[in-house]
Amino acid sequence: MSARQHHKWIAPKRLGYAEISAAVSDPIQRGGPGRAWFIALLGILPLVLATFIAVGAVLTVGIGLSGVNTTVVWGFSIANYVWWIGIGNAGTLISSMLLLTRQGWRASINRFAEAMTLFAAAIAGIFPVIHLGRPLYAYWLAPYPNTMELWPQWRSALVWDFWAIASYILFSLIFWFTGLLPDLATMRDRAQTRTGQVVYGALALGWRGSARHWAVYETFHKTMAALAVPLVCSVHSIVGLDFAASLMPGWQESIFPPYFVVGAMYSGFAMVVMLAIVIRWGLSLQSMITPAHFDAMAKVMLFASIVMTFSYATEWFMAWYGGEHADRTVIGYFFTGDYRWLYFSLLFCNCLVPQLLWFRAVRLNLWLLAAIAIVINLGMWLERILIVWNTLSHGYAISLWRTYHVSLYDVVILIAPLGLFVLGFLVLARILPIVSMHEVRQLAHREGAAA
Amino acid sequence: MSTPLLAEFETPEALIAAMRQTRAEGHRALDAYTPFPIEALTEAFEPRRRLVRPMMAVAGFGSAAAMYVLQWYSSAIAYPLNSGGRPLHSWQVFLLVPVEFGVLIAAIAGFAAMLWSCGLPALHHPLFVMPQFERASQDRFMLLVAPKGEAEPLRRTLEEAGARLVAEMHA
C-alpha cells in the first residue's frame, strides 16, 4: 500500500456509489469495445478455431490422434482435464472461503473468479468426453430408463467424475448468478437502449433491492458459500480418486485427494492473479483492485506453494517408508527416468520460484507477479502430466515399460482451449459487470470511502 | 390508511435515522430499497417467512437419499454385476455421488426458495414508475413509510430527516 493510498482496499480517497456503478457499467453500456479488445479477439480466434478442429478430428478419427499407446493409456486429455478443473475449482473456492471468513476485499475479485470457474470447468468437461474412445456413448454415464436395461457402473471413477463435474458446473452457475442478480438490476436501471432495458430487465427478474430481498439474498448466498467449500473439496478429491482408487504404484496413495485440492487452489489463485492484472488494466479498475489485493493473493500463493512442496516430500517419504518395491522404483524414476527434466522443471516452477513471494517488493511488482503466476500454472500442468506419465510408463510389469510420444493433436488440445477461455472473458466483459458492484459499494461504505 | 410515501436519502445513515424517527412517531415503515445490503435494515425488516435454509436442507438430504437408493437398486437388484467378487451393495463408494447430487439439488431448491420468498420474478412493480427509483440500485437509499392518519406530518418528518425527495406511491 503506497503512502498516497487512503484506504486499504479502495485506492482513491473518495469513491462514491455512483462512481462505482459508472466505473463498472459504463465501459459496457456507454463505451465501445476499444482497440485492445479487438486485437485480443483477433489474436485468439485462430485458437478457438483450432479447438473446434481438434475436437472435430478426434470425434471423427478417434483417440489414435493422441500420443497414447497400450502402456501409457492416458495422456494430455487427462492432464488437461485435471489442470482445467483445478483452475475451475479455485474460483468458487476462493469466493466462498473469503465470504465465509468475512474478507470484504473479495468484492473486487469474486465475480471474475467465479466466471473463471464456469469457463474453466466447462472446458475441463470436454476432455473426459473426447478421451472416452467412444464419445458418442457419453450419455450412458447418466442413469436413465433404457430398452437395453443397462445402468451406470457406480463403482467407476468415470461415473463419479460425471456427477462431480455436472453438479459443480450447475452449482457454480447458480452461485454466480445469485451474486449477479443485484448488479443486473443496476444494469437495467442504467440501460440507455430499449434492448438493454429489456434484456437486463428480464435477467434481473424484477430485483428491487428491498431490505427483505437483501435479507433473503444474504441468507441464501452465505448458505451457498458454506455448501460450496465442501463441494469444491469433494469435486477435486474425486479427481484425485480417479488416480488413487486405482492399483498403480505412485497413484494408490491416500494423500492424493487433499493434495489435488491444494494443487487446485494453487493454480487457481495463480490464474486469478493473472486475470486480475489483465482485467484491472483492460477495464481501468485501478480504484477497486488495489496493490493490497495483489499482496493478499500473493501470500495465499506462497502458502499453497509451501503446502505443495510438503505434499511432494510426503509422497517421496511415504514411498520410501512404505517399503513397497514398485513405489520406490517409481519415485526413483521421477528423478532419474525419461521425464526427469520435466520433473526438475516442475519442482523449480512450483516449489522454488514462488519463494520469491516472501519479498514484499516482489508481491507488489505486477510484472513479476504475472511471471510467477504463469510459471506456477506451467508447473501445475507439468505436475498433472507427470502424474499420468511417470506411473503409466513405469508400472508393475517391466515388459510393458514404454514412454509417451507427444503428437501434434496433443499440442493443439493443450494450447488451443486457452483461446476459448479468453474468448469467454472477452464476451463476458462486454455484456456483464465483471466486478460485483453491490459488494464494492458495501466495501466502500465500510472503508469510509463513499461518505 | 392513506397512500405510503417514498423518501429518497443520500446516505444509509440518514435513512436509518429517518426510519427510527418515523417509527417512534407511530408511522409504519414498510420497506427500504438500497443499492447494497445494510445490516440495520435487514434486521428491521426481517422477513416473516424464513424458507431458504429449511428448503435447502429438505431438498439436499432428500435427493441425496434418493440417489443412494437409486444406486443400490440399480446395482443390487436391477443389474447385479459381479466384478471381481466385490459386494453388490458397495456403500463406501455409493456415498460419493449422493454428496455431489444432494448439494446440487439443495442449491437449486434454495434458489427457487429465494425467488419465492422475494416474490420474484416480477418484471413489473408499482415502485418502478416512482421518480428516481432507478437510483435505488445505484447510489440512493429509499424508505417506504405508511403514514399514521394524514400524510403531511410524515412528509415533514421525512424532509426534516434529510430526504431529498418525498413522493406518494399509488399501487
Side-chain angles (χ1 to χ4, degrees), chain A residues 426-445:
Chain A
L426 287 177
V427 173
L428 190 77
R430 292 302 310 150
I431 53 176
L432 293 176
I434 204 94
V435 168
S436 175
M437 290 187 273
H438 66 96
E439 281 166 293
V440 175
R441 283 183 207 119
Q442 199 173 14
L443 180 66
H445 179 248

Side-chain angles (χ1 to χ4, degrees), chain A residues 44 48 119 418-430 434:
Chain A
I44 53 117
V48 176
F119 296 140
L418 287 168
L420 216 53
F421 184 68
V422 177
L423 177 71
F425 269 99
L426 287 177
V427 173
L428 190 77
R430 292 302 310 150
I434 204 94

Side-chain angles (χ1 to χ4, degrees), chain A residues 47-191:
Chain A
L47 290 177
V48 176
L49 198 62
T51 313
F52 287 117
I53 293 174
V55 171
V58 78
L59 292 182
T60 330
V61 181
I63 50 169
L65 283 178
S66 121
V68 290
N69 54 50
T70 49
T71 298
V72 191
V73 290
W74 281 0
F76 274 45
S77 287
I78 303 296
N80 294 354
Y81 160 65
V82 181
W83 190 69
W84 279 109
I85 196 82
I87 291 171
N89 268 331
T92 301
L93 185 68
I94 290 167
S95 179
S96 54
M97 278 202 310
L98 297 182
L99 179 70
L100 293 178
T101 50
R102 297 168 200 239
Q103 301 294 312
W105 58 275
R106 75 187 266 290
S108 314
I109 63 162
N110 66 340
R111 177 67 48 72
F112 61 79
E114 288 166 26
M116 174 184 91
T117 281
L118 288 176
F119 296 140
I123 293 173
I126 299 173
F127 293 107
V129 175
I130 61 174
H131 199 262
L132 278 178
R134 294 187 187 181
L136 67 167
Y137 298 131
Y139 67 95
W140 285 11
L141 290 167
Y144 70 103
N146 58 78
T147 51
M148 302 170 291
E149 298 196 344
L150 284 175
W151 286 94
Q153 170 57 278
W154 301 102
R155 298 177 197 85
S156 156
L158 188 63
V159 172
W160 306 339
D161 275 344
F162 168 78
W163 288 98
I165 303 174
S167 303
Y168 182 62
I169 291 182
L170 293 173
F171 180 95
S172 301
L173 188 69
I174 296 172
F175 189 56
W176 172 80
F177 186 74
T178 304
L180 196 58
L181 207 52
D183 281 1
L184 286 169
T186 307
M187 298 296 278
R188 169 197 68 201
D189 293 339
R190 289 177 69 88

Side-chain angles (χ1 to χ4, degrees), chain A residues 46 72 121 149 162 212 229 272 324 329 352 359 391 438-439:
Chain A
V72 191
E149 298 196 344
F162 168 78
R212 288 195 177 82
V229 174
V272 169
E324 176 70 38
T329 330
L352 273 182
F359 301 102
T391 287
H438 66 96
E439 281 166 293

